[in-house]
């Protein structure tokens, strides 16, 4: 194995992350990683005039799940809606993991954000996670007037495992004639259960999320079906053979991470189908660098690119 050539600022951050990020994660370690603390939604909101309200809604098979609505206290209505699917490899995290952008966008755009508590694998394998996420999107779209956002400006946003679920939900919405999605914002998305690309093989035992952790998580989601023919593209969107008819798409990924090649291939397949995609590959970066080291120069550039795309998308919608 060749040690990745990380950006110097990011390389300086990695030692402090050791033991607190899922590298080499096996099934018996899942509960330890699930127990790692994350900032609460109150901490992410801080002193900004933003509210967070919980709602119980029907998920897949009628089971009750929770969504939380994040909006400005002085929300006026008519702005965009942001539907958020949290990361964590579909096996960790909760709806408030990495919710900081939702608070930022509520303030900047007067957006209404909804973040969904989908049921996680392995307790709830596919199709439960993606179907729960689709149920949350349907609920949000159906309550656009009540929540006070423009249904023509509904954007789905997810990173890592949440990016894969967001991509799967967008495919479902297209195929089922469901809610109209104005754009999908996918950060370092986890979309290919086969783990056959060069980057999926190269990055093991290094970084923040490696090959071993990825194989562990995908096995929890798909069981014995992982890597076999016939896996649903809603579970692993890289399996989709038709990426036509998708909304404008933003994809970013680190150059030194497992998900690099599948993210690049997904953007390329959207272009091949005549769709619109913007792709950023950040050299010298590891998985989730923009969340873990947001003050570094490369993370600031990454977040600025994300913001620029969203600005341009919302100006159109």
């Amino acid at each position: 194995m060749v040690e990745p050539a990380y950006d110097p600022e990011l390389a300086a951050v990695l030692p402090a992350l050791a033991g607190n990020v899922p590298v080499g994660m096996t099934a018996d370690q899942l509960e330890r990683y699930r127990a790692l603390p994350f900032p609460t939604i109150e901490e992410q909101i801080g002193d900004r005039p933003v509210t967070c309200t919980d709602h119980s809604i029907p998920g897949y098979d009628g089971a009750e799940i929770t969504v939380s609505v994040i909006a400005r206290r002085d929300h006026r209505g008519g702005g965009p809606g942001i539907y958020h699917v949290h990361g964590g490899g579909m096996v960790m995290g909760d709806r408030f993991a990495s919710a900081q952008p939702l608070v930022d966008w509520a303030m900047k755009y007067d957006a209404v954000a909804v973040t969904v508590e989908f049921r996680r694998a392995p307790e709830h394998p596919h199709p439960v996670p993606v179907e729960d996420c689709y149920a949350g999107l349907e609920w949000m779209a159906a309550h656009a007037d009540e929540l006070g956002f423009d249904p023509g400006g509904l954007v789905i946003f997810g990173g890592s495992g949440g990016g894969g679920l967001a991509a799967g939900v967008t495919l479902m919405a297209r195929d089922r004639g469901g809610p109209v999605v104005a754009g999908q914002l996918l950060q370092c998305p986890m979309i290919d259960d086969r783990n056959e690309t060069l980057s999926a093989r190269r990055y093991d035992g290094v970084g923040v999320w490696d090959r071993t952790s990825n194989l562990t998580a995908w096995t929890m989601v798909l069981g014995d079906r992982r890597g076999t023919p016939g896996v649903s593209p809603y579970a692993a969107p890289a399996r989709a053979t038709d990426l036509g008819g998708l909304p404008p798409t933003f994809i970013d990924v680190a150059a030194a991470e497992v998900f690099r090649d599948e993210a690049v291939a997904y953007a390329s397949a959207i272009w091949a189908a005549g769709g619109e995609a913007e792709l950023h590959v950040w050299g010298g970066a590891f998985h989730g660098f923009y969340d873990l080291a947001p003050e570094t120069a490369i993370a600031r550039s990454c977040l600025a690119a994300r913001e620029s795309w969203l600005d341009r998308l919302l100006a159109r919608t």
Side-chain angles (χ1 to χ4, degrees):
M1 183 190 70
V2 178
E3 186 70 21
Y6 290 123
D7 171 89
E9 281 190 289
L10 292 180
V13 170
L14 270 179
L17 297 175
N20 293 309
V21 290
V23 175
M25 183 183 73
T26 52
D28 60 301
Q29 298 172 321
L30 177 61
E31 290 308 318
R32 181 172 78 82
Y33 285 111
R34 281 181 170 179
L36 291 174
F38 287 91
T40 66
I41 189 59
E42 291 79 15
E43 290 169 331
Q44 293 178 77
I45 291 173
D47 60 0
R48 288 178 287 182
V50 170
T51 62
C52 178
T53 308
D54 294 343
H55 298 261
S56 292
I57 70 167
Y60 179 58
D61 271 352
E64 187 175 280
I65 62 173
T66 301
V67 296
S68 293
V69 179
I70 296 170
R72 285 169 49 156
R73 286 201 189 108
D74 62 351
H75 176 62
R76 296 184 178 183
I82 309 290
Y83 183 66
H84 175 242
V85 185
H86 72 79
M90 296 178 271
V91 300
M92 298 179 290
D94 64 23
R95 66 191 183 280
F96 299 129
S98 300
Q100 184 72 52
L102 309 182
V103 181
D104 296 340
W105 295 334
M107 293 300 300
K108 178 177 180 179
Y109 303 116
D110 196 16
V112 172
V114 172
T115 184
V116 59
E117 193 71 49
F118 62 87
R119 287 169 288 168
R120 305 170 303 189
E123 297 88 348
H124 302 282
H126 177 76
V128 176
V130 72
E131 290 284 3
D132 276 354
C133 292
Y134 185 72
L137 180 73
E138 285 194 308
W139 179 88
M140 183 178 183
H143 291 79
D145 289 344
E146 175 188 334
L147 297 174
F149 71 90
D150 176 4
L154 178 54
V155 179
I156 188 165
F157 164 51
S160 191
L165 288 169
V169 167
T170 302
L171 290 171
M172 295 170 87
R174 179 198 66 179
D175 296 345
R176 295 177 178 180
V180 176
V181 178
Q184 58 174 342
L185 200 169
L186 312 176
Q187 294 209 268
C188 54
M190 176 183 175
I191 55 175
D192 196 342
D193 66 294
R194 293 165 293 193
N195 294 283
E196 294 172 349
T197 67
L198 176 62
S199 63
R201 293 182 180 278
R202 173 170 292 172
Y203 298 108
D204 202 10
V206 296
V208 166
W209 177 267
D210 68 343
R211 176 177 177 80
T212 297
S213 299
N214 203 43
L215 290 168
T216 296
W218 273 117
T219 301
M220 290 177 179
V221 174
L222 293 173
D224 293 342
R225 292 172 293 168
R226 177 184 60 78
T228 64
V231 168
S232 169
Y234 304 146
R239 299 285 196 137
T241 57
D242 176 15
L243 293 181
L246 294 180
T249 299
F250 177 96
I251 299 174
D252 69 8
V253 70
E257 72 159 301
V258 168
F259 299 142
R260 180 194 67 206
D261 295 346
E262 61 203 64
V264 172
Y266 203 67
S268 298
I270 291 174
W271 294 325
E276 178 184 337
E278 181 170 320
L279 171 68
H280 296 262
V281 181
W282 296 97
F286 49 71
H287 180 71
F289 67 100
Y290 45 83
D291 278 336
L292 294 166
E295 297 308 314
T296 59
I298 190 172
R300 290 198 301 270
S301 295
C302 169
L303 296 174
R306 181 181 74 182
E307 206 80 355
S308 172
W309 178 83
L310 193 55
D311 286 344
R312 286 177 277 122
L313 177 76
L314 295 180
R316 290 161 51 181
T317 58

